[in-house]
Amino acid sequence: RHDGTGDSDEFRALWQQYSGEAVALFRELLKDDPDDPGLLSDFVESFSYQSSGKGIAKAALTGDAAVFVRRGGAVDLLTRNHPEYCDGVAYIFSIAFYLAAPWPVRNTGKARKFAGEMLQVSECRRNLYYAGLAAQADGDDAAAKVLYERAAAAPATTQSEVDITPALQREIRRAAESLR
């Protein structure tokens, strides 16, 4: 069972086993179409799993961060060229990176900056939840509470969000309850 608070050993084992192959396949596909938002998004997601398989601290301190923070990196390209893709999913990658990274890379202020930009693209359930996480991590529980309340009431706006709705609703409740 995964409690939503970090990477379980079971998930890390799966990611270590399969994510490298997915990353390699997406890198190959991106050679033919380096600006395709779907490919960029899927590459970053598979790369995230590969990094998580190593362990967040090791990944952040050994160069994996470049995919997330480097100008011209996959997340930067997706954010600059396709900010509306999948209701702003590129911002989710940046927010999650800056919240999960260890010191000195962790930066709740940057996570909140990306959350603000993301909410300008879409105030869907997923985005409001991630904005709440960023606010809470930055010590602004009042803003986090409002964002979680809005997330709980917001509709799912993409098929991927519909697919994760039960888990997302559970995590919204868990996050809101952690503020009490």
Side-chain angles (χ1 to χ4, degrees):
R1 171 157 153 53
H2 188 271
D3 69 3
T5 59
D7 298 329
S8 69
D9 291 339
E10 294 82 9
F11 286 165
R12 274 197 305 276
L14 282 172
W15 297 334
Q16 287 171 343
Q17 184 174 356
Y18 296 110
S19 61
E21 182 179 352
V23 168
L25 289 170
F26 283 117
R27 281 189 201 274
E28 194 62 34
L29 290 169
L30 283 165
K31 287 179 184 177
D32 292 331
D33 196 355
D35 195 42
D36 179 280
L39 291 176
L40 284 166
S41 179
D42 290 344
F43 166 74
V44 173
E45 187 168 12
S46 63
F47 192 87
S48 297
Y49 289 129
Q50 184 180 46
S51 294
S52 293
K54 295 177 187 176
I56 298 295
K58 183 177 180 182
L61 299 173
T62 59
D64 284 7
V67 166
F68 299 96
V69 300
R70 184 176 54 88
R71 180 128 175 104
V75 174
D76 178 61
L77 291 173
L78 192 55
T79 304
R80 279 189 297 119
N81 297 349
H82 309 284
E84 295 87 15
Y85 178 75
C86 197
D87 279 349
V89 71
Y91 297 101
I92 298 292
F93 297 130
S94 295
I95 293 164
F97 172 79
Y98 282 113
L99 294 181
W103 182 89
V105 179
R106 178 181 168 89
N107 189 322
T108 59
K110 283 187 179 180
R112 284 194 83 176
K113 174 188 139 330
F114 284 115
E117 292 172 10
M118 173 185 65
L119 291 178
Q120 291 179 14
V121 172
S122 173
E123 292 192 1
C124 65
R125 177 183 298 143
R126 177 203 64 202
N127 291 4
L128 289 161
Y129 167 66
Y130 271 88
L133 291 177
Q136 187 175 4
D138 203 35
D140 191 346
D141 288 354
K145 181 179 188 290
V146 170
L147 289 160
Y148 293 145
E149 288 170 356
R150 290 177 58 205
T157 58
T158 65
Q159 185 57 51
S160 65
E161 195 175 357
V162 169
D163 293 344
I164 65 166
T165 287
L168 188 55
Q169 288 174 325
R170 182 186 67 241
E171 294 307 315
I172 291 166
R173 280 191 303 276
R174 183 192 319 247
E177 289 169 3
S178 75
L179 294 173
R180 297 184 186 145

